[in-house]
Amino acid sequence: MGVIVSGAPHFRRNRTTKGIMLDVLIALVPATVAGFVYFGWRAVFTVALSLVASVGTEVIWLLCRKKSLKEIVSQFDFTSCVTGLLLALTMPAFEYKYFYIPILSAVFAVGVAKMFFGGTGKNIVNPAIAGRVFAFISFQSAMVSGWMVPQFASLSGINAVSSATPLTAMLGDGLGAVGVSNLDLFLGTGVMGCIGETCKLALLVGFVYLIVRKVIKWQWPVIYVAVTGLLSCALGKSMGYFLPSILSGGLLLGAIFMATDYVTTPNTKLGNLIYFAALGVLTGIFRAVSGGEVVSYCILLMNVTVPLIDRFIIPRPFGYEKKEKVKKEAR
Amino acid sequence: MAKAKETTLRCVTTLAVIAVVCALLLSVLNSVLYVSATPDDLIGLYSAVDGYEWEVVDVNDDQPYSGGKVILVAKGTMDGKDDYLGLLVQTEKNGKLNESTYAMFINMNTDALEYAAFVTEGATGGFNWQYAKEHSKSGDQVSTGATALTGLLSGDKSNSQAAWREWESFYGVITDQTALDYTDAVPAKTGATRTVTATYDAFNIVARYYYDNFVKGE
Amino acid sequence: MKAKDIALDGLFRQNPTLKLVLGTCPTLALTTAAMNGVGMGLAVTFVLIFSNAIISLLRNVIPSKVRIPAYILIIATFVTITRMVLNKFLPSISASLGTYLPLIVVNCIIIGRAEAFASKNPVLSSALDGLFMGLGFMFALTLMGIFREILGSGSVFGVKLWDFSIGFFVQPAGALFTYAIFIAVYSLVYSAFLRAANERKNKDGLAVKGARGNA
């Protein structure tokens, strides 16, 4: 079982890593189903390969570490399922000839980013993010041009942007080039994108479920998204950028499901505030500079800074009272 | 005190001796290992002369040229096609700009200078010749050399010969200042200005060389 | 110092790349292709042999206060000679190594061996140490180059094997990853050897402390 490190006081609850991971999986169901509906069998294919490869990598690794199959089954905590599913949701629905991309990325995500560092709870970066970045720099052509137009047409009747995702179009040519309405972006109709990031409604349903189950705190994703949106407005010098910038690309998926990963976030409230605000700032700036989607890179970058944040922001011990400052008497 | 001085003296002497020996060794090896230009250096630069057979012509270095020297002259032939003269010109080191080598191709039937290219660039920043051409103040070519170059590039023998003659009298007219005007619109890069100067030197040298050895006598 | 020990140290026990972790800059930057590893390895070997020999020859002449500048002078001379030789005879390799060739001057392996070995040992041993350290460097770089080239470009020594390639491995991130994997595998093999050697000696009632010297 993974150990969750947090500031004092420590409460005991009947929550296990397994239970939390199951909740995350349930919260991802709407987005996954939406992806299947929008992108069809190719999405199912990508998700299935990624899941099988993730779980397979973990099992094979544990077998190599001389654990018995029985032990592995009883200790299985679904983290590799979450990794595999999240990884697939951040990828486009691949053509069948690209079968190796989800497999290799999942092997990299679970094998290198998680198991090499000691398994569940010990990874420095979010494995799914590492897997996506690996896929992105390794198979750039397939990851960038492999976009598929969803099976549902845009509600506003505009043809889907055929060459670039709405985000890259907006970053490149300004607001007018988005090509789809905010409602389209919200529902994902007629919008090209990764399997899981297209339908924002489904992601928000998952978000609400996670809040109700108290798996994550609602403030953190909201801070991340809001900072990114406001910064985009500031850089674009128009409030009209707010909705398109938060509704396009992988921002919501990243903010809700990936940036909030327990293992790779700071332990303290102040630390989290810094972490999520910095994520928003980085995403806003890098999007404007690079003209592409950068959420995964930003999360990866901030993941690495977490130990540093934890080192400098030390939680106040429970019951500790601030000493009143005593003025030095003049001699 | 005397001991310390002695040690210092010994340190300095040792270093000096090692440095002198190393420098001597390198200067001897430099002359042994010097890579002289071969016609192979002309291959692959200009598509019109692909597949040509190159034969080295002795460089006539009776006259020194300022700014650099011709290091290779080769005559290129191919059945059924015009003869070409390929020249390699090396310009001198100029401050932070190292020696640059240019290849120039002259069609011997029309006397037209058809193509010029960098073989090695002396500038560290990398000089964008095409950009300089497009953004120069006076259009396509710097004004002083424009007439001459138009003639050279025309492909017409009489025009070209006239141009070579004229260029010969232009020698020295194209100065650092014109080169500076030329680079005004070019983004600052290490050695850009000097690259332009060197390029003009190279053109001047080739013009003079070709005129002296191939046009004058006719 | 036995020649066999020097050879084993350079190639395996004290491998400059995998055990001493010296000269990492060219290791990370140049191993995108196998041929680069061979070229760089040979250049470093050449420099190492001669710089080690000369420094060993002068080890009683050079005052210890100015030994580092003196080493640098000698090393720089041989690096310049290497550049001139490569320029003359193997211009393509010289072009692909680019700026890393003159940077051999500041390569830690060379100054490290000068300081740790050549300044204390006779000429012949020092030259041998240079040879085998250089070869150890070359083998490590070439193996890493082969690994990265096959995975990252789908070719080996420039010969195309297939169209499939994983871009990660020819990028800097892949360089660090590959280096880590190689060090891990090396450590596995090395400790297995040590264990085997210890067991053998224990039978004879002798314990081995491990390899001579330390990094």
Side-chain angles (χ1 to χ4, degrees):
Chain A
M1 201 199 106
V3 179
I4 298 161
V5 183
S6 69
H10 302 280
F11 294 112
R12 259 199 77 83
R13 272 198 236 143
N14 281 335
R15 304 206 71 169
T16 56
T17 310
K18 201 177 201 166
I20 291 169
M21 287 304 149
L22 272 177
D23 272 343
V24 176
L25 279 179
I26 292 168
L28 280 170
V29 166
T32 314
V33 172
F36 289 171
V37 172
Y38 283 2
F39 298 110
W41 286 109
R42 272 162 62 174
V44 179
F45 170 77
T46 306
V47 170
L49 283 181
S50 172
L51 268 175
V52 171
S54 295
V55 177
T57 309
E58 177 159 353
V59 170
I60 290 170
W61 174 266
L62 291 174
L63 282 175
C64 291
R65 301 298 305 269
K66 308 224 171 74
K67 295 225 179 188
S68 71
L69 208 56
K70 211 174 154 191
E71 255 182 308
I72 296 174
V73 172
S74 69
Q75 289 179 356
F76 189 70
D77 57 13
F78 291 102
T79 43
S80 52
C81 289
V82 172
T83 301
L85 185 56
L86 270 176
L87 176 65
L89 294 185
T90 59
M91 289 181 169
F94 284 117
E95 287 173 50
Y96 299 121
K97 67 174 178 183
Y98 289 132
F99 67 93
Y100 53 85
I101 301 181
I103 295 180
L104 287 176
S105 311
V107 170
F108 186 86
V110 175
V112 175
K114 191 169 104 179
M115 289 324 202
F116 274 14
F117 286 88
T120 306
K122 300 204 177 74
N123 45 303
I124 294 173
V125 296
N126 184 313
I129 292 278
R132 183 195 141 88
V133 170
F134 173 81
F136 201 79
I137 63 177
S138 295
F139 313 103
Q140 208 147 18
S141 58
M143 286 293 283
V144 173
S145 59
W147 305 112
M148 182 181 168
V149 181
Q151 292 165 351
F152 289 88
S154 155
L155 290 180
S156 48
I158 305 165
N159 281 337
V161 193
S162 54
S163 58
T165 57
L167 179 69
T168 44
M170 178 181 85
L171 293 169
D173 305 319
L175 266 184
V178 178
V180 282
S181 67
N182 285 336
L183 184 67
D184 280 332
L185 283 174
F186 184 66
L187 292 174
T189 44
V191 177
M192 289 194 295
C194 298
I195 297 171
E197 71 183 22
T198 310
C199 183
K200 307 309 189 268
L201 179 66
L203 288 172
L204 287 182
V205 171
F207 182 43
V208 172
Y209 176 81
L210 287 180
I211 297 166
V212 171
R213 296 282 297 162
K214 294 195 172 125
V215 175
I216 60 171
K217 290 206 175 76
W218 63 270
Q219 296 94 326
W220 305 136
V222 169
I223 289 176
Y224 179 7
V225 170
V227 170
T228 306
L230 290 173
L231 196 64
S232 305
C233 295
L235 292 173
K237 297 193 183 77
S238 155
M239 280 312 277
Y241 275 99
F242 191 75
L243 279 176
S245 71
I246 67 172
L247 288 178
S248 54
L251 180 60
L252 281 183
L253 180 67
I256 298 170
F257 291 98
M258 294 169 132
T260 53
D261 177 14
Y262 289 142
V263 186
T264 55
T265 44
N267 297 330
T268 54
K269 269 188 193 154
L270 181 59
N272 270 312
L273 189 67
I274 295 171
Y275 175 78
F276 283 97
L279 268 176
V281 172
L282 286 184
T283 309
I285 292 175
F286 287 170
R287 267 186 177 180
V289 173
S290 71
E293 184 52 308
V294 292
V295 169
S296 50
Y297 287 98
C298 292
I299 297 179
L300 195 69
L301 198 61
M302 286 310 292
N303 278 173
V304 184
T305 67
V306 166
L308 200 70
I309 295 177
D310 275 341
R311 196 189 149 95
F312 285 104
I313 295 164
I314 300 154
R316 190 167 56 90
F318 186 56
Y320 176 89
E321 278 180 37
K322 228 180 185 176
K323 271 186 197 158
E324 272 182 44
K325 273 187 185 168
V326 185
K327 269 191 183 171
K328 269 189 184 172
E329 284 176 25
R331 279 179 192 173
Chain B
M1 193 63 201
K3 183 99 193 290
K5 243 183 198 165
E6 202 178 297
T7 332
T8 316
L9 192 70
R10 201 179 144 220
C11 290
V12 173
T13 326
T14 323
L15 280 183
V17 169
I18 293 177
V20 168
V21 171
C22 288
L24 280 177
L25 180 68
L26 283 181
S27 63
V28 170
L29 284 173
N30 192 24
S31 53
V32 175
L33 293 171
Y34 179 75
V35 187
S36 59
T38 66
D40 287 352
D41 295 330
L42 293 171
I43 292 169
L45 293 172
Y46 180 36
S47 55
V49 293
D50 279 351
Y52 267 65
E53 292 279 330
W54 294 98
E55 197 189 329
V56 182
V57 181
D58 283 341
V59 177
N60 174 8
D61 49 9
D62 293 347
Q63 277 169 307
Y65 302 108
S66 75
K69 59 176 188 268
V70 177
I71 55 172
L72 178 86
V73 183
K75 197 173 170 183
T77 48
M78 196 171 172
D79 283 346
K81 287 198 173 178
D82 291 354
D83 289 352
Y84 275 84
L85 196 70
L87 297 106
L88 285 181
V89 186
Q90 191 178 48
T91 56
E92 285 161 8
K93 198 168 151 56
N94 179 4
K96 58 190 166 187
L97 182 77
N98 284 328
E99 287 108 340
S100 314
T101 311
Y102 299 78
M104 307 228 180
F105 296 92
I106 298 169
N107 182 327
M108 295 183 77
N109 289 32
T110 60
D111 280 339
L113 170 66
E114 285 189 0
Y115 195 78
F118 276 111
V119 179
T120 49
E121 232 179 301
T124 43
F127 180 73
N128 190 338
W129 183 244
Q130 192 56 37
Y131 186 91
K133 230 171 152 180
E134 282 161 13
H135 291 80
S136 67
K137 261 187 183 171
S138 40
D140 189 34
Q141 300 295 343
V142 71
S143 46
T144 335
T147 3
L149 269 181
T150 321
L152 282 182
L153 301 171
S154 67
D156 178 86
K157 194 174 172 94
S158 58
N159 273 349
S160 293
Q161 292 220 348
W164 285 119
R165 285 202 172 81
E166 202 164 349
W167 188 287
E168 195 263 346
S169 62
F170 265 119
Y171 193 65
V173 172
I174 298 167
T175 60
D176 285 8
Q177 192 48 49
T178 31
L180 271 178
D181 291 345
Y182 194 73
T183 45
D184 230 22
V186 181
K189 267 183 179 158
T190 315
T193 314
R194 289 188 168 100
T195 305
V196 173
T197 317
T199 307
Y200 273 89
D201 281 343
F203 272 106
N204 276 326
I205 291 163
V206 165
R208 184 69 173 273
Y209 188 90
Y210 191 71
Y211 177 78
D212 285 347
N213 294 290
F214 296 90
V215 180
K216 212 181 194 174
E218 284 187 25
Chain C
M1 186 71 46
K2 271 190 247 162
K4 189 186 154 202
D5 269 339
I6 296 177
L8 270 178
D9 273 355
L11 294 177
F12 183 64
R13 292 195 301 225
Q14 299 274 308
N15 186 294
T17 309
L18 300 172
K19 174 81 178 181
L20 308 179
V21 197
L22 290 174
T24 50
C25 181
T27 309
L28 293 172
L30 283 175
T31 48
T32 47
M35 204 53 216
N36 284 353
V38 177
M40 187 69 189
L42 285 178
V44 167
T45 309
F46 175 83
V47 175
L48 255 176
I49 295 172
F50 285 98
S51 70
N52 260 10
I54 301 290
I55 287 165
S56 163
L57 197 68
L58 298 176
R59 68 187 188 281
N60 296 324
V61 182
I62 299 171
S64 70
K65 268 187 187 167
V66 290
R67 66 185 191 284
I68 301 288
Y71 296 167
I72 297 275
L73 272 174
I74 293 163
I75 293 167
T77 306
F78 285 104
V79 171
T80 314
I81 293 173
T82 315
R83 278 185 70 190
M84 294 198 291
V85 170
L86 281 180
N87 253 336
K88 175 128 181 144
F89 300 107
L90 298 163
S92 63
I93 287 189
S94 165
S96 71
L97 296 181
T99 182
Y100 290 95
L101 202 52
L103 280 178
I104 297 177
V105 175
V106 288
N107 191 313
C108 310
I109 299 174
I110 294 163
I111 199 118
R113 291 326 286 176
E115 182 80 7
F117 196 96
S119 60
K120 296 167 193 151
N121 287 286
V123 178
L124 197 62
S125 313
S126 298
L128 269 181
D129 179 76
L131 172 68
F132 286 107
M133 281 288 162
L135 288 180
F137 180 69
M138 185 181 90
F139 285 139
L141 250 66
T142 310
L143 285 178
M144 282 174 67
I146 292 173
F147 180 83
R148 286 181 68 191
E149 198 181 340
I150 289 179
L151 287 174
S153 325
S155 59
V156 64
F157 286 105
V159 182
K160 196 93 190 153
L161 298 177
W162 46 68
D163 276 336
F164 174 76
S165 68
I166 306 173
F168 174 75
F169 284 98
V170 286
Q171 298 199 340
L176 290 161
F177 179 77
T178 308
Y179 201 2
I181 295 283
F182 268 73
I183 292 180
V185 171
Y186 167 83
S187 305
L188 265 180
V189 176
Y190 184 61
S191 55
F193 266 99
L194 266 192
R195 222 175 299 130
N198 262 330
E199 270 164 24
R200 213 167 41 237
K201 295 274 170 155
N202 276 338
K203 273 184 196 158
D204 310 335
L206 291 160
V208 194
K209 275 181 227 123
R212 174 194 61 86
N214 213 341

